Amino acid sequence: METNQNERKKVIFSAIQPSGTITLGNYLGALKNWIDLQDDYDCIFALADLHAITVRQVPANFRHNTLEAYALLLACGIDPKKSPFFIQSQVPTHAQLAWVLNCYTQFGELQRMTQFKDKSAKHADNVNAGLFTYPSLMAADILLYQADLVPVGSDQKQHMELTRNIAERFNGIYGSVFKVPDAYIPKKGARIMSLQDPSRKMSKSDENVNGYVAVLDKPEVIMKKFKRAITDNDACVRYAEGKDGINNLMGIYSCVTGKSFEQIEKDFDGKGYGDFKTAVGEAVAEHLRPIQERYNEYIKNKDYLEKCYTQGAETAYRISVRTLTKAMKKVGFVPRAHNKSRLTNIINCQIFTHKKAETLKCVSTFLLCIL
Ligand code: TYM
């Protein structure tokens, strides 16, 4: 893509919850596109751990899953030098803007969210306020970075529409504060379905482990899951209405091989479902193999992970605090007074630890906040 040197690249923001297994659905619907878009856009990515506590988490598992997800996303191809990649709870601006946006989001709007209806039915004993106001936090995540595009699977479409409505409402009252973002939903892979019930989306919270493929599943497990995938009695590999199981497998195969549906139909003309399922399993296992290898390296290197997420959080804070400060000023909050001694403290502390680059970043953030 040729870009004029002075032309601003479009900004992409997206996030994933680090609760439990990351599935092939997450990968094909979202993560693969994050990676593919990194060169042509200014990308920033997050692990949405604040979102994850809307469902009760076991603390030790939660910490482990968050680090595992961080390592896995690096292994999928996020390059933290190109795309700041951070853990949401380490950047306080998200919770701060979320509160403000909560006050510009209507009860009725939140009540209409299908994800809220689904999750509150599933966790009937814990229908907490966070589960209800989850979309305003998601809106804050996106709007803080003035994102133009948000690559997500189709299940996030409704949350994206609400984000746009909140941004337009706020801008309508206070002038142009937020960029109104568009969802980036891929043509292929936007909704990968369960292998056991192709009328439902593939989900990490599926109680039947054969319903989903985890990105970290071993090749033999992947093969077994595809061989058990529910199909139909037609025994002909073609994309057609009413063949949800086969359509889903064709979608997955097409995403990982790059082949069109016509090509797949030609390649499997006269062959049975057994052959096709084996081919899909092999292609998926082969596609995930290098990711799994890289993951095994990253997860051992805790220092590197810590360096990446700390750096990511610093950059994310520096960018997001500008939008937060602007939004709060517009609402009419009294800006916090910054005194000289605080600035001197920051400089002394950073110089003491020989972090010159950080000192400059801190001073510029500080000055931006005052101005
Ligand atoms: P989450 O963690 O449920 O899913 C992460 C991404 O994976 C996509 N996805 C799928 N795509 C295709 N087929 C599937 N079966 C499938 N399952 C999941 C999701 O659409 C998503 O893109 N609310 C978000 C996390 C979030 C976020 C944000 C996303 C928090 N803040 C800001 C974008 C921007 C969520 O729960 O995704």
Side-chain angles (χ1 to χ4, degrees):
M1 189 171 80
E2 254 181 53
T3 47
N4 180 333
Q5 287 274 298
N6 298 324
E7 211 177 281
R8 184 183 78 96
K9 275 190 187 172
K10 286 198 168 175
V11 175
I12 279 194
F13 177 87
S14 200
I16 181 169
Q17 293 190 63
S19 46
T21 321
I22 291 186
T23 69
L24 188 65
N26 295 131
Y27 176 72
L28 297 179
L31 302 178
K32 190 166 174 294
N33 297 310
W34 299 9
I35 312 307
D36 293 347
L37 296 165
Q38 273 184 118
D39 287 329
D40 296 334
Y41 295 86
D42 277 334
C43 295
I44 181 153
F45 301 122
L47 287 184
D49 58 344
L50 293 176
H51 283 88
I53 64 161
T54 53
V55 171
R56 197 73 72 231
Q57 302 288 337
V58 177
N61 296 351
F62 185 35
R63 248 188 308 276
H64 172 83
N65 289 340
T66 304
L67 288 178
E68 183 181 286
Y70 197 91
L72 183 53
L73 265 64
L74 290 184
C76 285
I78 290 186
D79 178 351
K81 288 200 200 85
K82 276 190 207 154
S83 317
F85 175 34
F86 65 98
I87 301 175
Q88 186 190 29
S89 62
Q90 298 184 352
V91 183
T93 46
H94 289 249
Q96 287 173 283
L97 184 64
W99 175 255
V100 175
L101 297 186
N102 265 332
C103 303
Y104 295 80
T105 309
Q106 298 305 303
F107 188 89
E109 288 177 309
L110 293 171
Q111 225 175 9
R112 281 195 289 279
M113 295 293 112
T114 49
Q115 188 169 307
F116 171 69
K117 290 185 205 161
D118 292 348
K119 284 207 173 173
S120 50
K122 203 164 172 195
H123 303 276
D125 56 338
N126 182 23
V127 184
N128 58 73
L131 195 61
F132 189 63
T133 60
Y134 178 115
S136 343
L137 176 58
M138 180 160 159
D141 297 340
I142 298 164
L143 300 180
L144 276 171
Y145 300 95
Q146 306 290 352
D148 297 278
L149 285 176
V150 182
V152 282
S154 61
D155 62 333
Q156 296 300 318
K157 210 168 155 198
Q158 203 185 22
H159 288 161
M160 283 305 304
E161 276 157 16
L162 181 55
T163 298
R164 289 173 58 86
N165 290 343
I166 296 171
E168 278 164 357
R169 181 172 305 142
F170 198 95
N171 289 348
I173 304 172
Y174 300 110
S176 176
V177 177
F178 301 122
K179 170 92 206 160
V180 181
D182 286 309
Y184 179 103
I185 297 177
K187 286 202 181 75
K188 278 193 280 184
R191 193 169 174 81
I192 301 295
M193 311 309 280
S194 158
L195 299 184
Q196 289 299 307
D197 177 358
S199 66
R200 289 195 353 240
K201 78 165 187 173
M202 182 180 283
S203 165
K204 53 188 148 199
S205 56
D206 195 333
E207 273 154 26
N208 183 353
V209 293
N210 290 318
Y212 62 83
V213 169
V215 175
L216 289 177
D217 273 346
K218 293 204 167 71
E220 57 275 21
V221 176
I222 296 176
M223 293 306 296
K224 203 171 69 191
K225 287 183 177 176
F226 277 108
K227 280 187 182 154
R228 285 188 184 165
I230 301 292
T231 46
D232 53 63
N233 299 323
D234 186 25
C236 174
V237 179
R238 66 189 170 91
Y239 195 94
E241 218 181 292
K243 288 170 67 72
D244 295 350
I246 283 296
N247 294 348
N248 189 35
L249 294 183
M250 285 178 72
I252 293 172
Y253 192 62
S254 171
C255 283
V256 293
T257 61
K259 289 185 180 177
S260 66
F261 286 168
E262 295 76 46
Q263 186 63 48
I264 298 171
E265 287 173 0
K266 238 186 238 163
D267 289 354
F268 288 90
D269 188 25
K271 295 187 184 158
Y273 284 169
D275 289 339
F276 182 51
K277 287 179 182 181
T278 303
V280 182
E282 280 170 356
V284 169
E286 194 47 33
H287 188 93
L288 297 181
R289 191 177 49 80
I291 295 177
Q292 299 182 353
E293 284 168 3
R294 286 194 294 268
Y295 168 80
N296 289 330
E297 292 305 312
Y298 282 127
I299 197 67
K300 282 189 238 153
N301 197 342
K302 296 283 186 305
D303 288 346
Y304 179 68
L305 297 181
E306 188 181 281
K307 190 173 141 216
C308 292
Y309 61 70
T310 306
Q311 186 98 56
E314 279 168 12
T315 309
Y317 181 76
R318 214 173 50 249
I319 301 171
S320 60
V321 77
R322 291 181 210 153
T323 306
L324 177 73
T325 307
K326 186 170 179 190
M328 291 184 67
K329 219 179 199 174
K330 293 281 187 183
V331 171
F333 289 113
V334 176
R336 195 168 115 193
H338 294 279
N339 57 30
K340 266 199 216 142
S341 64
R342 181 156 168 261
L343 183 56
T344 317
N345 269 346
I346 294 173
I347 294 172
N348 283 345
C349 171
Q350 301 281 352
I351 287 176
F352 183 70
T353 52
H354 304 286
K355 289 181 181 163
K356 282 191 192 132
E358 274 88 346
T359 311
L360 279 175
K361 283 181 202 160
C362 274
V363 172
S364 59
T365 305
F366 184 86
L367 291 174
L368 271 169
C369 292
I370 321 175
L371 296 175

